[in-house]
Amino acid sequence: MSRLDLQEVNSMQKGKVHGPFFFENLVCQTNHMLTSKGVFLGSDPLKYAMPLLLLQMAAIIITSRLLFRLLRPLKQGMISAQVLAGIILGPSLLGQSISYSEMFLPMSGKLTLQTVSNVGFFIHLFLLGLRIDASILRKAGSKALVIGIASYAFPFSLGNLTVLFLKNTYKLPPDVAHCITTTIPLGAMTSFPVTTTVLAELNILNSDLGRLATNCSIVCEAFSWVVALVFRMFLQDGTLASVWSFIWITALLLSIFFICRPLIIWLTERRSVSIDKTDDIPFFPIIMVLLIISLVSEVLGVHAAFGAFWLGVSLPDGPPLGTGLTTKLEMFASSLMLPCFIAISGLQTNFFVIEQSHVKIIEAVILMTYTCKFVGTAAASAYCNIQIGDSLSLALLMCCQGVIEIYTSVMWRDEKVLNTECFNLIIITLLLVTGISRFLVVCLYDPSKRYRSKSKRTILNTRQRNLQFRLLLCVYNVENVPSMVNLLEAAYPSRFSPISVFTLHLVELKGRAHAVLMPHHLMNKLDPNTAQSTQIVNGFQRFEQQHQGTLMAQHFTAAAPFSSINDDICTLALDKKAALIVIPFHKQYAIDGNVDHVNAAIRSINLNVLDKAPCSVGIFIDRGETEGRRSVLMSHTWRNVAVIFIEGRDDAEALAFCMRIAEHPEVSVTMIHFRHKSSLHLDQQAGEENEFSEAHLINDFKNFSLNKPQIHYKEEIVRDGVQTTQVISSLGDTYEMVVVGRDHDLDSSVLYGLTDWSECPELGVIGDMFASSDFHFSVLVVHQQEGDSLGMDDSYKLPDSPPRSVDPRVHPRFSVEEGFTSIDLHNNR
């Protein structure tokens, strides 16, 4: 054996030594064993710290990702996959091989992996705290308070009563009784960051149940943190040490909230002013404060993650701090380091050690705690008049646990509060309960059930029954506003045909944990999202000022994950009884007409809205940039509008919308009716039950064209899709906006050969053609949701004749109870 081989073999020695309470493992590592000398010199890389660490991290991340993909159909989260990865790589499975353990999990390698992963964990916990809005606890309603308290108090009290009964009945050894007592507060915990993570992964964060679960979890966590802190303090030696520990930890929290928080906010404001960028943050000073607070936490005898978490809680969530820090740190901490920390809980789990005679009692108490938590939450929910299905789903969500509970278990195991058998049982039960709960929630709760019904609101239905036209406009940024205002102007709000408009500013949830859907005037004025929403609102209010008494608007902001923000859109449309939702197309066009930007997330939103909306949907292809208009001040009424009519319910809906536009005295509307030659002689034979509404609309439009010179009806007789394409291509720049239905009769000869391929199926055959860069006008693609007509609803019915005495500014049929406000032209800024 060479000298190098001898050094590597003897590089680490370990043995048992007396610790403060128990026998501990002592590891001696030879110096200069950080980086390998190289295989060409006969060196074994896995005997050195750096190569071994890289191998461990790669194995954990790859294994957890593979498991996550396998478990995705069962709706399991990444945390469960990471724990299972640790179990597979640990002593429960692969670790049974001695050679594998010595190669992949030597004692010195475990210490290095734990140290590095703990750094990532306390940064991750800082980010979790940063996403928390502490004011949620203040705003939590009575339901959340009752359910949150019951969710913790019921299992905690019954669990401790059970332990007292078992002590007296079975004469449990002191160590077993202490272990069981420790598992009760752990099973009763519900962590706010974990709950919001689960809700976001299940795409129900911004649902009614998601918002209630968010409030309940933060109430429950307030109890959990107090219990955990008190539990940790009384592990000290003696009463005096506990008192001093409490005093110093309190001083740490006060310094975080009254020194660190103002300092970081001041540095952020100063930096944004000095470089004139509101979204820039003092990253390195914040990291230094984070490291100092974490160090002080360790000095005081609590985990570094404790100080990091409360530092995050103290700082404002959302942009710029929440968004900026999450963007810079999340990839490193949450995607690279956190999997290693979570996997350590699996690496420390060993199924073969579970052999005590009291294991059944310990597991029974753990399961009883979860059961009591489920029953207590469900009973409290039923007491608060929540539907049984939602009560059960909420109870299951409150039983879900994750990174916070795993961190607590690992910490208590390292401090010998939990023995190995109890730790193993906790991790296994946590995995099973959380996994089953997540799957059952998906089966029990559908957030779209509230607005999914057989009856749908349509423009056609609104027109036929003389109802108030109610419109929901979705915008992402200020650039969407000018063309949306043009659309409103073209819709021609008038004294006896007014429009109720609801604008919804859609914001992707970043840097905060809870979803937001609220009226604009109730938003936090210091939130940067409020500033952008204000610019959007000002653009619509300027238009509202010009149409006093004919158009009234309410403005909302929704901040939620884009994967589920369609629930906010559909919910608001249902609550406000909108007949049409207008959502921007996912492609943005440059001034030369070519596609400038494609947003796949917006396309997913559009598809979800088309699938679930309670009313008609319009996808708006905005080409205002090609016309040189991106300011509300530069917007003007479209003078030439065309509607493409082939046949089908969507074309009828598009034509019904254009009938409103046709009433505008300054807008020229042309209906281009595509017909096949064979259909000319079938007009008299058409079935009234299928063609009545379309024929009635077409006749109405023809009558309009006879009485108004700016209204034109044009028939195009074509043989197949080729001629249809030629006619559409000849439109050129004649029109400023074109309205078209999404779906048509696909068996129509007019579309023969056009239905084989489509780049954007959500636009339909003709709409997809208009999305190409060959056209330079804006397009509204209208889709009428499939469903029955709504029953008669006269709450928004318009009068047939003008009232004699009315407010000259506000139409009497506007619903003042909905929060519409008149705008004073003289006092409005």
Side-chain angles (χ1 to χ4, degrees), residues 212-267:
L212 179 59
T214 298
N215 293 333
C216 294
S217 64
I218 200 167
V219 172
C220 188
E221 187 174 20
F223 289 93
S224 301
W225 272 102
V226 171
V227 171
L229 180 61
V230 173
F231 189 85
R232 179 65 184 83
M233 285 192 305
F234 283 93
L235 285 178
Q236 308 292 333
D237 294 330
T239 306
L240 186 60
S242 300
V243 173
W244 277 109
S245 175
F246 178 79
I247 292 173
W248 281 108
I249 291 175
T250 303
L252 173 63
L253 293 176
L254 292 175
S255 64
I256 288 174
F257 280 91
F258 294 103
I259 298 177
C260 298
R261 171 188 163 88
L263 175 63
I264 292 175
I265 294 177
W266 176 76
L267 289 173

Side-chain angles (χ1 to χ4, degrees), residues 4-128:
L4 180 61
D5 293 337
L6 188 62
Q7 289 179 348
E8 291 179 354
V9 170
N10 299 322
S11 63
M12 184 193 73
Q13 300 293 331
K14 64 178 180 179
K16 295 284 187 178
V17 297
H18 284 283
F21 304 103
F22 306 94
F23 278 101
E24 304 282 357
N25 287 315
L26 177 65
V27 180
C28 299
Q29 180 74 39
T30 307
N31 288 333
H32 310 298
M33 296 297 292
L34 180 62
T35 57
S36 171
K37 304 299 187 294
V39 293
F40 299 105
L41 296 178
S43 174
D44 183 0
L46 297 184
K47 295 294 183 181
Y48 296 84
M50 181 60 73
L52 180 60
L53 176 64
L54 296 177
L55 175 64
Q56 291 171 332
M57 292 177 62
I60 289 172
I61 293 173
I62 292 173
T63 305
S64 61
R65 290 284 177 177
L66 291 175
L67 288 171
F68 177 68
R69 288 190 174 274
L70 292 175
L71 296 174
R72 182 179 292 178
L74 299 178
K75 306 301 179 183
Q76 302 305 300
M78 181 59 76
I79 298 295
S80 298
Q82 290 163 354
V83 175
L84 288 174
I87 292 175
I88 292 173
L89 297 173
S92 296
L93 194 60
L94 297 180
Q96 289 297 301
S97 170
I98 297 177
S99 59
Y100 166 84
S101 297
E102 293 178 349
M103 180 270 294
F104 185 75
L105 296 171
M107 188 62 67
S108 59
K110 289 182 180 179
L111 296 177
T112 305
L113 181 63
Q114 286 178 328
T115 303
V116 173
S117 62
N118 269 271
V119 173
F121 173 71
F122 81 74
I123 296 176
H124 175 75
L125 216 62
F126 167 71
L127 295 178
L128 289 182

Side-chain angles (χ1 to χ4, degrees), residues 714-734:
K714 183 179 179 182
E715 280 192 358
E716 293 288 349
I717 310 301
V718 296
R719 291 180 308 202
D720 52 24
V722 175
Q723 288 192 351
T724 302
T725 304
Q726 292 173 351
V727 174
I728 290 176
S729 300
S730 66
L731 296 179
D733 298 328
T734 307

